Amino acid sequence: MLTLISFGQAVNDTKLAVYSPLMSRDTYTGSILIAVNPFTKLPHLYNSHMMEQYKGVRFGELSPHVFAVADASYRAMMNEGQSQSILVSGESGAGKTETTKLILQYLTFVGGRSANDERTVEQQVLESNPLLEAFGNARTVRNDNSSRFGKFVEIQFDASGRISGAAIRTYLLERSRVVKIADCERNYHCFYQLCASGEDAKKYKLGHPSNFHYLNQSHTYELDGINSAEEYLKTRRAMDIVGISSSNQEAIFRILAAILHLGNIGFSPGQEHDSSIIKDEKFRYHLKEAASLFRCDPNLLIATLCTRSIQTHEGTIVKALDCSAAVANRDALAKTVYARLVENINKSVGQDPDSRIQIGVLDIYGFECFTHNSFEQFCINFANEKLQQHFNEHVFKMEQEEYSMEEINWSYIEFIDNQDILDLIEKKPIGIISLLDEACMFPKSTHETFSTKLFQSFKGHPRLEKAKFSETDFTLSHYAGKVSYQTEAFLDKNRDYIVIEHCNLMSASKCPFISALFPPSPEESSRSSYKFSSVASRFKQQLQALMETLNSTEPHYIRCVKPNSLNRPQKFENQSVLHQLRCGGVLEAVRISLAGYPTRRTYSEFVDRFGILVLEFTDGSYDEKGLAEKVLQKLNLENFQIAERFNLLYCISIKNNILNIN
Ligand SMILES: Nc1ncnc2c1ncn2[C@@H]1O[C@H](COP(=O)(O)OP(=O)(O)OP(=O)(O)O)[C@@H](O)[C@H]1O
């Protein structure tokens, strides 16, 4: 079944309102909430009074609200004993992170213990958010606080419905941002917070962000209305509440400082051909600082940055790296350390191994189609195809199954199945990801050879074509429209080398926190100390695991909509909104719903509401079903069916809009 409801004041003035509310009933599977970003603070909509109002109230009874979805999932979990999931999606800046926070706020409200202790599990869950944001969010051209990863926050409950733990899984952290930032954008917030931290910054020999290569590339340091020093204190407080020990907190910020010093190390050509050395005294200073903060041997750090070892039949030989290879090596080390640090922080919220019921909230990037689309858009759109399939299966298939179960006459509506594009992307041994991995493993492959192989392998495939005006770009026909991908950087971006020297350097750190980030890996025989690890394949596996989790839950959907590109309140760009609804599968859902019987009422609900129209028959000689039939006869309605099995009445809502008038 499908419930489509709109949310936010802005939506009331638009054509979208015509779809709202189509129906409601006591089962919530397949409901979609459209949450329009108001771009203005509306505290009265989200306070505890509001939470109290939505608590335990039948879904659809009150105005559409994110609390209604959160409450519905909590009630369903408690009543049916089944885990739930809430899938929040939308484009950058649409309000996913804010919506996720509101859901967590509501769940901690209904599932929290009234304790004064700051370190209750629910406080930890709430405080995990600012922590994740400090380390995983950054300013982009679209959003000052953009999440640079997808996340699935699983709130665990005990049998009495109290929060007992939480687990956070993150997806596709944008690692490149640690070392490279585009104009007007920033690195992760935590770096600026640390630079503004006063005493701590001094202790780690930090100063203004403009002194650091990893922060000064975009000349953008401040965020409107945000004080980094205050944010630093908030992050520290969040760490306390989540339960990160003070020595681990010290290690975490020391690592951030080390990364900044590492980025300031420059190289000049060495005496030997194609070799490099640390450029001069200034760069040696940063090298010494980085080594000292990482608690590692400075000479080993130099060797790690400027050389690479290769295994041959005769033994290990050490090959010098030229300056540009040394810079790439330095950046790879910075990215690896940061990614492992963030992974570790995400694990810091306490899990409850005994919990049997959970509510998972997925906050993941929506479908993307820009003028230039690269590997990141490919991965994001792959994830959206997966989620779209899940959406299809759970909303459309269940809709159809319900009709056949209730023996309702209904002509089967086709929905666009996207299995073919998923096969094209992920099928082994020949799919886009497999071909890309194969290209990455052969040193001589280029994006040209990759594209040629791709076009040869899928000649005539209805979902793949060569992009116009390019020999190497490919266009995929996604469920939400066509996207052309530029392949130039595909191979590079898919290569995530695990560099043995990096692991050795870090696991030898005298700081136990750092060495634990790099546990010894089983020795593998390889000719190179660089081991290829595929970003796309790892993402594919993570998505698979996510889909398995989602499939074991009852899903609820929230589609966040960005009403305008200027981030202003009260401004609605209809074309863009329609495009977002199409990308979120909402228009397709509406189509399916309108083709069936979107309005459903139990006989009793129906008679409660409309019995007044047939007062002359309410003398007790008719049961609820009989009275419902009398109402329908009186209204001269035709497009309805009466289901015997669950005492339900199915109506076509658009024609019988009267049924929705409260
Ligand atoms: N419910 C809301 N009430 C008030 N302001 C909101 C609300 N939702 C979003 N905003 C505003 O919009 C901004 C962007 O929202 P948010 O960061 O949640 O977007 P997002 O979809 O998570 O973006 P990204 O994918 O880039 O992380 C917020 O910083 C906030 O200013």
Side-chain angles (χ1 to χ4, degrees), residues 500-635:
I500 303 299
E501 282 90 342
H502 294 175
C503 299
N504 291 344
L505 173 80
M506 291 295 153
S507 61
S509 165
K510 297 211 166 54
C511 166
F513 181 86
I514 296 181
S515 57
L517 295 179
F518 290 82
S521 63
E523 273 305 308
E524 287 170 47
S525 59
S526 163
R527 289 185 58 235
S528 168
S529 61
Y530 281 49
K531 286 199 196 329
F532 166 66
S533 154
S534 158
V535 174
S537 288
R538 196 167 56 240
F539 185 49
K540 180 178 131 180
Q541 280 166 9
Q542 287 182 323
L543 275 181
Q544 201 46 46
L546 173 68
M547 298 325 290
E548 278 161 23
T549 308
L550 292 181
N551 286 337
S552 66
T553 65
E554 220 175 89
H556 307 255
Y557 301 94
I558 300 184
R559 298 298 194 230
C560 294
V561 170
K562 189 173 177 171
N564 63 75
S565 48
L566 304 169
N567 300 357
R568 290 227 190 98
Q570 306 284 344
K571 194 169 161 26
F572 224 80
E573 293 164 2
N574 282 350
Q575 282 311 312
S576 151
V577 170
L578 270 181
H579 177 72
Q580 291 172 59
L581 294 180
R582 188 170 295 117
C583 292
V586 177
L587 295 190
E588 185 67 359
V590 170
R591 190 179 73 81
I592 298 283
S593 176
L594 294 185
Y597 296 91
T599 299
R600 279 155 236 188
R601 297 268 185 270
T602 61
Y603 304 150
S604 143
E605 281 170 349
F606 190 80
V607 170
D608 251 11
R609 187 166 287 185
F610 301 109
I612 194 163
L613 298 173
V614 287
L615 280 179
E616 64 272 30
F617 298 110
T618 51
D619 58 358
S621 28
Y622 290 91
D623 62 6
E624 285 176 334
K625 185 179 168 202
L627 279 176
E629 281 170 335
K630 289 285 175 209
V631 173
L632 292 163
Q633 275 164 17
K634 188 152 191 184
L635 289 173

Side-chain angles (χ1 to χ4, degrees), residues 37-40 46 91-98 143 145-147:
N37 187 341
F39 281 120
T40 183
Y46 307 124
E91 66 177 45
S92 180
K96 300 182 291 296
T97 308
E98 295 300 318
N143 182 359
N145 185 33
S146 183
S147 312

Side-chain angles (χ1 to χ4, degrees), residues 115-130:
N116 294 328
D117 179 9
E118 271 207 322
R119 289 216 38 222
T120 55
V121 185
E122 58 270 20
Q123 271 304 322
Q124 292 188 37
V125 169
L126 284 180
E127 286 300 327
S128 64
N129 235 316

